[in-house]
Amino acid sequence: MVNLVAAQKPLLHGLMKMAGVKSHLVEIEPGTVMNFWVPVETIKKQKPKKGEKTNQTVTKPTKPVVVLVHGFAAEGIVTWQFQVGALTKKYSLYIPDLLFFGGSITDKTDRSPTFQAETLVKGLKQLGVEKCVVVGFSYGGMVAFKMAELYPELVEAMVVSGSILAMTDSISNSTLSSLGFKSSSELLLPSSVKGLKALLSVAVHKKLWFPNRLHKDFLEVMFANRKERAELLEGLIISNKDHTIPTFPQATR
């Protein structure tokens, strides 16, 4: 039986290319690859020599850069698809798939938001990005905060929604208790239609109805790398004693 969510991906990718962004893999270092959706005008094809594959080179962005960082429920382009068309008119838009989402992967064992931020920044620099505004949602907001803290020369401003600076053990326990879940994995890595519906009820402002078949297909496509993502959730939680609030020089919204 055809997975309806997977079947829509080629259409979505085509629409995103028409809107101005295209998927591009960046090798950060051996064993670590991050997928970015980048401005189509920055990807240049080089005429290959006989017997060689077509090579692509990446040029610097020509407009102010906005980086959109997704949350835990879906990869980059699925999260931000409705914003792309409007933003590409004035901005060079970069949408990463964080490690273990989309086509991004690493053989390193670090699962912290700091490592995600460091990897993302290395990828942006390879793509020629020198200054940017970072927009982060949920988990992506915590990565955005780390980017701004560690790389103030890169991040000019931030827009963060549905997120906090860091997930301390007290915040984690109280939040999960109020929502009726025993662990972050139980909430954010659902394995059933019921669990996915519970996650979506927390994640979206307006309740949306979808048939159970579509929920099942979404589970199959969007929740790969479960072991590694569970480790990412464990890597989020820090002790209250270890948490310090950084001072951000950037404008923050």
Side-chain angles (χ1 to χ4, degrees):
M1 187 178 292
V2 175
N3 185 299
L4 297 177
V5 175
Q8 292 176 26
K9 276 197 169 185
L11 174 61
L12 176 61
H13 291 189
L15 291 172
M16 291 302 100
K17 187 175 181 179
M18 290 174 60
V21 295
K22 181 181 179 182
S23 179
H24 181 74
L25 286 175
V26 177
E27 184 179 29
I28 309 300
E29 57 186 84
T32 301
V33 177
M34 182 168 276
N35 182 62
F36 286 82
W37 290 82
V38 304
V40 292
E41 66 270 14
T42 66
I43 303 295
K44 308 296 182 183
K45 290 185 178 180
Q46 292 182 323
K47 188 176 180 179
K49 296 179 181 180
K50 188 175 181 180
E52 294 182 353
K53 295 182 179 179
T54 301
N55 292 322
Q56 291 184 336
T57 58
V58 183
T59 60
K60 290 184 178 182
T62 56
K63 293 177 283 189
V65 173
V66 172
V67 180
L68 303 179
V69 191
H70 65 83
F72 214 86
E75 60 197 47
I77 206 63
V78 175
T79 301
W80 300 108
Q81 58 185 293
F82 299 111
Q83 284 74 37
V84 172
L87 291 174
T88 50
K89 296 174 183 178
K90 293 184 178 181
Y91 303 100
S92 290
L93 202 60
Y94 291 79
I95 307 173
D97 287 326
L98 295 173
L99 295 170
F100 303 114
F101 295 84
S104 301
I105 200 77
T106 185
D107 59 4
K108 303 296 186 294
T109 58
D110 194 337
R111 300 289 185 258
S112 66
T114 297
F115 182 64
Q116 288 276 22
E118 291 171 345
T119 305
L120 173 49
V121 168
K122 288 177 182 177
L124 289 172
K125 289 182 176 180
Q126 286 194 40
L127 294 169
V129 175
E130 297 174 349
K131 297 283 185 181
C132 65
V133 173
V134 180
V135 181
F137 169 67
S138 187
Y139 176 64
M142 285 183 265
V143 175
F145 278 128
K146 280 297 178 184
M147 288 176 64
E149 178 186 352
L150 299 173
Y151 304 96
E153 76 286 352
L154 172 72
V155 179
E156 295 183 299
M158 288 184 290
V159 179
V160 176
S161 174
S163 186
I164 54 178
L165 277 169
M167 181 64 73
T168 62
D169 43 19
S170 61
I171 292 175
S172 176
N173 293 335
S174 62
T175 301
L176 291 171
S177 177
S178 66
L179 294 173
F181 291 91
K182 296 179 181 178
S183 68
S184 296
S185 294
E186 184 182 353
L187 170 62
L188 295 171
L189 291 173
S191 57
S192 66
V193 170
K194 182 180 178 180
L196 178 57
K197 287 181 177 180
L199 172 58
L200 294 176
S201 69
V202 174
V204 300
H205 172 67
K206 186 177 181 180
K207 187 175 181 180
L208 301 173
W209 182 87
F210 296 106
N212 284 346
R213 162 73 188 284
L214 204 58
H215 283 95
K216 291 178 181 177
D217 289 351
F218 189 90
L219 279 170
E220 290 180 7
V221 173
M222 291 299 166
F223 290 92
N225 300 316
R226 284 181 173 269
K227 175 181 177 293
E228 291 82 3
R229 291 194 195 183
E231 292 169 352
L232 290 177
L233 292 173
E234 292 176 5
L236 274 179
I237 302 173
I238 62 173
S239 170
N240 290 321
K241 297 178 182 179
D242 297 332
H243 179 48
T244 58
I245 300 176
T247 300
F248 295 104
Q250 302 92 340
T252 306
R253 298 288 184 270

